[in-house]
Amino acid sequence: MTDASFRTPAQWYDGHNAVRHEGEAIWSEEETLLLAGATGTMEVPFADLEWGENRGGENVYRRRSQPDFRLMVPEDLPPGLASRLPARATYGAWVDNLGLPKAVALFAIVSAAAVTLFMTAPEWLGPRVPESWERQMGDAMIGDFGGRLCSTREGDAAMAKLLDAVDPEREQVRANVANIDMVNAVALPGGRVLLFDGLVQDAETPEELAGVLGHEVGHVRERHVMTALLRQFGLSILLAGADSGFGDTLFGVAQMGYSRDAEREADAYSRARMAESNVSPLGAAKFFERLGGDSEEGDTNGITGWIASHPAPGERARAYREAAKGKTFAPVLTPAEFKAIKSMCEQDPDVEEFEFF
């Protein structure tokens, strides 16, 4: 042992039995600490030691390789030996190693990143959900509407004609009228659109229905639906898949909100398809004006149903009116066809009524 050794009284448990050893902790510029006492000696690598606690004026250290090992030395240690032992952990090992100011800054960055990820996850995750998953969820949701989907031969034919005008794709969206007395329409996962009978009865012209149907088809084609569902229900909508009963979420689905950009994209899709099919957008403009007035805000007093979940009806009505300037249009449906759609739920003898509880 060299003259440059540092000593301090020590007590320790070697980790193998409950015997308390007493003696000295000695360091002589080696990589190990020598524990020497009347009951024997042992060497402990400094790298194997970690801070434990301060207890009654003494510091307690542990060994990583021996969970039951304990070394107790006075807190007032010779400077040379103190510099070799692990530093006291005030906030936690990684905080102490990094430093409190840096740790606080890092925590703030990580927290901000986590919040950003949570808030933006629907926007980037929604369009990436496999279409097979969407179809399963859409079929499950449709199943939970039970027998409330209205169907008559004349009404189905008129709905198909209306859909042709706003969805010219070869694999069309599937559209139905649901026997639910709410002024609403929803796009579901997997290319499903429902017009609630309350909205159908409120419509005064087939062009109004065409505008609403085209808008919901736009949400399907622009892949907005999963984004809105994720925002409404969180990742549970994905975890539930087709095995969950979605009937309890009917009102949540009916009221799920899209971003303003998504609403404008769906409107633009609807106007473009109506222009291709020579369908007047003035019906959609009138529909917005009647339910939402000329308000620039989506939070107008008295707005309910479909308009309530779609912002800025006044702005949107003007966009549809602008699309009609200088053009002439043909009727999208005959009066008889429009009547067939409006009477579907009344004429279907097998349809169930939706009851509010």
Side-chain angles (χ1 to χ4, degrees), residues 178-217:
N179 191 26
I180 299 173
D181 188 21
M182 295 171 63
V183 181
N184 217 318
V186 295
L188 300 180
R192 303 295 300 253
V193 171
L194 295 182
L195 302 182
F196 290 2
D197 190 52
L199 183 144
V200 171
Q201 298 309 317
D202 193 84
E204 296 179 352
T205 66
E207 284 72 24
E208 291 186 15
L209 288 184
V212 173
L213 181 59
H215 176 87
E216 298 301 333
V217 170

Side-chain angles (χ1 to χ4, degrees), residues 14-39:
D14 61 16
H16 297 289
N17 54 56
V19 176
R20 180 187 178 97
H21 304 274
E22 295 191 16
E24 290 183 311
I26 307 168
W27 175 56
S28 56
E29 300 184 353
E30 301 292 335
E31 295 300 319
T32 58
L33 182 67
L34 176 65
L35 303 179
T39 54

